[in-house]
Amino acid sequence: MSLPFPVRRAHAVAAVAFDGMAPFELGCVVEVFGIPRPELEVPWYDLTVCAETPGDLRIVGGFTMRAGHGLDAVAWADTVVVPAVADVRGEVSAELVATLRTAHERGARIVSICSGAFALASAGLLDGREATTHWRYAGLLRERFPLVRVNPDVLYVDGGDVLTSAGSAAGLDLLLHLVRTDHGPAVANSVARRLVIPPHREGGQAQFVQSPVPPVEGDDAVAAAMAWALDHLTEPITVAGMARAAHMSQRTFLRHFARQTGTSPLRWVISQRIAASLEPLASGSAPVEEVAAAVGFDSAVTFRHHFARTMRTSPSAYRRAFRRSP
């Protein structure tokens, strides 16, 4: 008996679309997984966009797109992405619920972006787990699915086999995290450069920033302080030093920094140091102590502590995992 889909050597990704969806989240999936990237010289992904009913789908903005495959495409996927659901207060179809459960049971990685978490929760895949969604929907997700430990304050949650992200652009953070997990930081950084976005925002970073488009001139000074910190990452960095680089008092600087980034200066510095450590860990053989010192940590103990909190693994385990990656 012939199979309806060929056996593929590439990592197969199925993205579930639906009639009436907004295009952004699905577009992020297509941008990351659907565009060939031969210059990276690693086996890239094989993306299929599917829907419960194949055919033309109406898209917000007044255009249509065609989904050439039904949910049977999920049966061959290594990763299944649900970019959103049609109605966060409505019921997810029994067919999609069954499809997600079956995919998870056979070992597929299940991923949601924004309101897609409601589909995963409907399938019972988030029961007893920490998960996130867009901050606007967090209360409703908790109310409808009390077994889910909803965390509304993060960009994404990596549960290993099940991953969830906050809304819109946080989906890109999660998708890049998947690329980083599959192929290492150098490849993920290359994709990020193609997308002209930061290569790494940790999942625990706050998703809600009060002023995402800063309206005051002082925030240009904050950007200057951040650039100064990146240039001096291997040196001791204090709030007072960053405030001086911004030509502000510490109190004013802390207020502007929190408004622009949603986090504190020192937490941001730690995240930048962790990000800087990923490439030497994955591609080099220097001891962890040397990597820690090279990115500005005062001790390997401090580095391991912050690395584990950010990456949910140890530096040594991260190195071993990426050395085994293709």
Side-chain angles (χ1 to χ4, degrees):
M1 177 179 176
S2 62
L3 298 176
F5 290 86
V7 176
R8 311 176 212 189
R9 297 179 61 186
H11 184 111
V13 178
V16 182
F18 58 89
D19 192 59
M21 75 181 306
F24 183 80
E25 288 82 2
L26 179 61
C28 291
V29 178
V30 174
E31 181 73 26
V32 173
F33 295 134
I35 295 179
R37 302 185 188 277
E39 73 279 6
L40 298 179
E41 299 182 344
V42 295
W44 205 239
Y45 302 89
D46 186 357
L47 174 65
T48 299
V49 177
C50 61
E52 290 188 46
T53 303
D56 289 343
L57 303 174
R58 294 169 298 173
I59 304 299
V60 173
F63 63 96
T64 61
M65 61 163 276
R66 175 172 289 273
H69 300 281
L71 292 182
D72 50 351
V74 173
W76 305 99
D78 302 297
T79 295
V80 180
V81 184
V82 184
V85 295
D87 182 1
V88 294
R89 299 183 183 276
E91 295 299 320
V92 176
S93 74
E95 182 183 5
L96 180 55
V97 164
T99 297
L100 292 175
R101 287 174 179 168
T102 300
H104 181 254
E105 288 169 1
R106 67 169 173 77
R109 182 170 59 184
I110 312 297
V111 179
S112 70
I113 300 174
C114 195
S115 64
F118 285 80
L120 275 57
S122 296
L125 303 185
L126 301 181
D127 288 355
R129 294 175 180 259
E130 181 182 353
T132 194
T133 186
H134 193 291
W135 58 267
R136 289 182 60 194
Y137 305 140
L140 181 60
L141 183 65
R142 185 182 293 113
E143 176 186 330
R144 291 192 58 195
F145 303 98
L147 295 180
V148 181
R149 293 186 285 114
V150 180
N151 186 346
D153 300 321
V154 297
L155 294 178
Y156 58 84
V157 174
D158 181 351
D161 55 337
V162 179
L163 303 91
T164 55
S165 82
S168 299
L172 276 174
D173 293 297
L174 177 54
L175 298 178
L176 279 177
H177 172 71
L178 294 176
V179 173
R180 188 179 304 109
T181 299
D182 295 341
H183 296 294
V187 171
N189 290 350
S190 294
V191 176
R193 283 195 295 271
R194 286 278 297 271
L195 296 173
V196 198
I197 60 175
H200 179 73
R201 290 198 298 171
E202 62 178 283
Q205 185 169 326
Q207 65 167 282
F208 179 64
V209 180
Q210 187 172 6
S211 299
V213 180
V216 294
E217 293 180 1
D219 289 328
D220 290 336
V222 169
M226 295 167 81
W228 172 86
L230 291 175
D231 287 339
H232 296 80
L233 208 56
T234 61
E235 305 169 16
I237 296 175
T238 63
V239 173
M242 292 184 70
R244 283 195 298 273
H247 303 290
M248 293 180 177
S249 69
Q250 289 190 51
R251 186 172 182 178
T252 300
F253 175 71
L254 285 169
R255 185 174 69 252
H256 283 287
F257 195 95
R259 178 168 52 193
Q260 181 168 343
T261 67
T263 188
S264 70
L266 293 185
R267 183 175 179 182
W268 177 82
V269 169
I270 288 170
S271 72
Q272 298 308 304
R273 285 173 167 159
I274 295 296
S277 75
L278 299 182
E279 177 61 22
L281 282 173
S283 62
S285 58
V288 169
E289 291 76 10
E290 290 185 16
V291 174
V295 297
F297 285 98
D298 56 6
S299 72
V301 172
T302 303
F303 173 53
R304 288 188 176 97
H305 169 75
H306 288 297
F307 194 96
R309 289 189 62 183
T310 301
M311 304 301 294
R312 301 191 178 190
T313 188
S314 69
S316 297
Y318 181 89
R319 168 174 277 167
R320 288 194 299 271
F322 285 121
R323 280 182 173 173
R324 289 195 298 270
S325 297

